[in-house]
Amino acid sequence: MDSNNEINAKRDLLKVKYQYVKTMVYKFETNGAQLDEQGKAKIKNLINQRDEMELKFAENIAETDAFLYFNESELAGCPADFLDRTRVDKKGEPAKAGESTRHKITYKYPDLIAIKTRCSNGNTRKKVQTMAYTRCPKNLKILADLLRVRHQIAKLLGFKNHADLQLKSQIVKNGDNARK
């Protein structure tokens, strides 16, 4: 006879298997497995478009080399190692302490975090945040197209919108519940 531990282990394994199968079915459905051949071809085309746009969007962000210059007083509160790493001369080349009080701040993660968490100058934080949000204007068209394609995919799969598609497998289940 099975012990309680064995019974519980079998029950837990069944729950894991059930969740796995449920997840796999959901993934097939969100890729159009339940659609007719014409629908499958359309969803495949839309998914390829979406994937290409997402890749181009990410590439554009990675290639952007936006930066701002600040003096040391504008970077009050930032750690010394950060100031040493960002210090540049008038040509934008790395400089040593005492040679320059000018700092080149990029939109890259280490710079953004240092400014956001350590800089006590609110105006500097605002400038850096604005730079980070607006660093790639050519992505605006891609984003608009991406939103359109995501909406088409959701509608083709029987959802009201992209939010409902993304949230179906989550606890909240749909966009209306998420807004409550």
Side-chain angles (χ1 to χ4, degrees):
M1 179 164 219
D2 289 336
S3 71
N4 283 340
N5 288 342
E6 289 173 338
I7 292 171
N8 288 337
K10 287 179 183 178
R11 187 178 309 128
D12 290 343
L13 182 59
L14 284 175
K15 287 179 186 177
V16 170
K17 285 181 180 180
Y18 172 77
Q19 190 59 41
Y20 175 77
V21 169
K22 188 176 169 184
T23 300
M24 294 308 296
V25 168
Y26 176 74
K27 287 183 178 188
F28 277 107
E29 287 174 350
T30 58
N31 283 299
Q34 75 283 13
L35 300 174
D36 62 19
E37 292 307 311
Q38 184 180 359
K40 286 178 183 176
K42 188 170 183 176
I43 198 96
K44 181 180 179 183
N45 182 32
L46 289 169
I47 288 172
N48 286 339
Q49 285 179 41
R50 180 201 63 201
D51 292 348
E52 287 176 20
M53 284 185 267
E54 288 175 349
L55 180 61
K56 184 63 178 167
F57 188 95
E59 286 174 354
N60 288 344
I61 293 285
E63 292 171 359
T64 300
D65 57 359
F67 63 88
L68 294 171
Y69 288 116
F70 293 99
N71 62 43
E72 289 201 17
S73 66
E74 292 173 301
L75 298 173
C78 291
D81 63 328
F82 172 77
L83 296 174
D84 289 342
R85 182 178 57 78
T86 60
R87 185 174 286 109
V88 294
D89 62 19
K90 290 183 181 186
K91 295 179 182 177
E93 299 297 320
K96 295 180 182 161
E99 293 178 5
S100 176
T101 60
R102 184 176 174 179
H103 297 269
K104 182 178 180 179
I105 307 302
T106 70
Y107 76 92
K108 305 284 189 209
Y109 186 76
D111 290 1
L112 293 177
I113 292 302
I115 298 295
K116 187 176 181 178
T117 61
R118 303 297 293 274
C119 184
S120 60
N121 186 320
N123 192 41
T124 299
R125 289 193 312 271
K126 184 177 180 179
K127 285 179 184 177
V128 170
Q129 195 66 41
T130 300
M131 175 191 62
Y133 286 153
T134 60
R135 69 183 172 259
C136 196
K138 62 185 170 183
N139 271 353
L140 291 176
K141 167 107 173 68
I142 294 171
L143 184 59
D145 292 343
L146 183 58
L147 292 173
R148 179 186 45 77
V149 168
R150 284 179 174 177
H151 184 73
Q152 289 175 340
I153 290 169
K155 294 299 268 183
L156 188 59
L157 293 172
F159 293 90
K160 187 168 76 174
N161 54 46
H162 179 70
D164 285 357
L165 169 62
Q166 291 300 306
L167 296 172
K168 181 184 179 199
S169 66
Q170 306 297 317
I171 292 172
V172 73
K173 297 295 181 208
N174 61 52
D176 291 336
N177 289 343
R179 288 189 272 297
K180 291 180 184 176

